[in-house]
Amino acid sequence: IDVKEVQVIPQSVGTVYNELLNNQGEINPEKEHYLEEEITVVDIGGGTILIDTLKNMNLATKTQFTTGIYTLYD
């Protein structure tokens, strides 16, 4: 295996991409509207609750809750 590049993205973004793309990595036409929506992902895990909002597929820092992923990253 020859790894050329590694990208680390927040799990919330990966979750939305998993729903947006089909198995060939193409945008699912039925979910294309995700690209223009505000989407909130709630990740309840082992001792943490991460709440992240994506607006137009970008993390919306103005709507980030204090328990969100940026607090964890800091």
Side-chain angles (χ1 to χ4, degrees), residues 28-69:
N28 181 341
E30 295 176 4
K31 297 183 179 180
E32 191 171 2
H33 57 94
Y34 284 12
L35 298 171
E36 299 173 358
E37 291 186 351
E38 187 169 316
I39 301 168
T40 299
V41 178
V42 179
D43 177 10
I44 301 172
T48 62
I49 298 175
L50 305 175
I51 304 171
D52 297 300
T53 300
L54 289 86
K55 193 170 192 176
N56 302 326
M57 292 302 292
N58 293 300
L59 281 175
T61 56
K62 291 183 180 178
T63 58
Q64 186 71 32
F65 293 91
T66 57
T67 59
I69 202 150

Side-chain angles (χ1 to χ4, degrees), residues 4-15:
K4 302 260 187 231
E5 181 180 350
V6 174
Q7 294 184 7
V8 178
I9 60 173
Q11 182 175 337
S12 55
V13 176
T15 299

Side-chain angles (χ1 to χ4, degrees), residues 13-27:
V13 176
T15 299
V16 176
Y17 271 110
N18 184 64
E19 292 299 311
L20 174 67
L21 303 176
N22 63 22
N23 290 339
Q24 288 74 40
E26 300 164 339
I27 295 174

